[in-house]
Amino acid sequence: MYFTIQRLSRSWVGGLATLLLGAGNSAHAGGIDQAVETLTAPVASAISSLIFFSIPLFGAELPLVVLWLIAGAIFSTFYFNFINLHGLPHAFKLVRGDYAQSWAHGEVSHFQALATAVSGTVGIGNIGGVAIAISLGGPGVLLWMILAGFLGMSTKFVECSLATHYRRQNADGSVSGGPMFYLSQGLAERGLPRLGKAMGKFYAIGIVIGCLGIGNMFQSNQAFMQFVNVTGGAETSWFADKGWLFGVVLATLIGLVILGGIKSIARVTEKVVPVMAALYCSMALLILVMNAEAIPFAIQAIFHGAFTAEGIAGGTLGAMIIGFQRAVFSNEAGIGSSAIAHAAARTHDPMTEGYVSLLEPLVDTIIICSLTGLVIVTTLYYDPALTETASGIQMTSQAFERNVAWFPLPLSVAALLFAFSTAVSWSYYGLKGWCYLFGEGLWGRSLFKLLFCIFIVVGSMIQLQSMLTLSDALVFVICVPNILGIYLLAPLVKRELKRYRLRLVSGEIIDHRSATPAAL
């Protein structure tokens, strides 16, 4: 309809690179960029090609790593009898504090754990990445993106339940959890200690390197570019060649937050996440109200693009792949990163964090990403050339600006909040991977936090495409051991879930809001 089969079936690796870099070329590239690119490009390209290896099918390229994630999500959904549907009411009650256990081990409340995890997934990609996905695969990608988000809710349930079940209590009262812990301990319990230890270390290395790229440099770089755009553009903005200043300010603010650990991070995210989500969603809903006459067109375009007859070779399959990869990159279901945040929750029942985590893909993908997509597709009704004249966050910005000329300014505020909150949460993910490898010592933790802040400044100053490609590849490859761990440990989660439900029904767990035995 709007896109050729050739564009839909282009290399997935190339599409991912475009997706990550969003706005495209940096306005402040220089000699340092080129030197680092020359050094790292061959290594990054080789590793990325290996990890994102694709097989041709009906004219489209199917990346095996995405198929691995999809398979894990489908398995989790059916194995737990669509927990992503019937578990939602209980999840809302937990987040509301109906079953709060102030006496339990942990460092943050259910809502704070959810806010921290959501802040790590709701980032620049929700604004710019969705736009790129539509430009590559057409409006139909939105339907597959929503489906992938729905299935990913079940994956989140399993990994966050496991992370809380196998978390470790530290000497200072803090807790540490995540895939590296349930891989090593869980597989050891199943008679595979060496495999579990190796997989745990592999995961920890991947999350450390990945956090410095996707959760750090990418966020600061894209935030700076949007800041430059709203202050006059690359040609006239006073800030165009002052990425270092932007980076120093951003790094300072983030440093002040992460110095206090997960409690400090949670206090910030529980305030920032609702504000940034409300700001962005209210803007998007207003645009949709103003574009009301285009909504029937958008719905038709989305379903036609997802199931177009000509698309068996490119459209349907191509749109499905792009939609699923956008959802996976957005909510990180199957990658296991947000399970690290949920492991810090104050609870005596690990299943509670599994339930709470169901809300992540709902908020991140099904609500926020869908609103972005609908704004762009309804704008195509008035401006069919939108996807040809802009890319990434600029495309979304133009879609907002078409109706309200000054909307790019609050959109930039939302983008800055998205980048800030994502970096804050990913600093904690990387820190826990670092501590898993090198121990919980104060000096080691401080060194990592300093390194993280330095990379924020670097990300604002220069465009390191190969570094981002490498870190993204390592973030995706850690889904391989994580999904394998989900397959092997799913029976344990099912047993624990059955016990948890029995305790709810028996009255052992009390609903504090009504002071009566809880029920599902």
Side-chain angles (χ1 to χ4, degrees), residues 126-127 276-292 295 367-376 378-379 396 399-400 403-404 407 410-411 414 418:
N126 294 78
I127 302 177
M276 71 181 190
L279 172 65
Y280 185 75
C281 290
S282 60
M283 290 169 55
L285 287 171
L286 178 58
I287 296 297
L288 292 178
V289 170
M290 298 175 74
N291 291 349
I295 290 179
I367 295 178
I368 295 180
C369 285
S370 296
L371 285 175
T372 301
L374 284 171
V375 167
I376 293 170
T378 55
T379 303
T396 308
F400 277 86
N403 292 92
V404 183
F407 258 19
L411 180 64
F418 283 8

Side-chain angles (χ1 to χ4, degrees), residues 314-334:
T316 297
L317 202 55
M320 183 186 301
I321 294 168
I322 294 171
F324 269 82
Q325 75 183 39
R326 177 62 254 163
V328 166
F329 183 76
S330 177
N331 61 51
E332 300 163 16

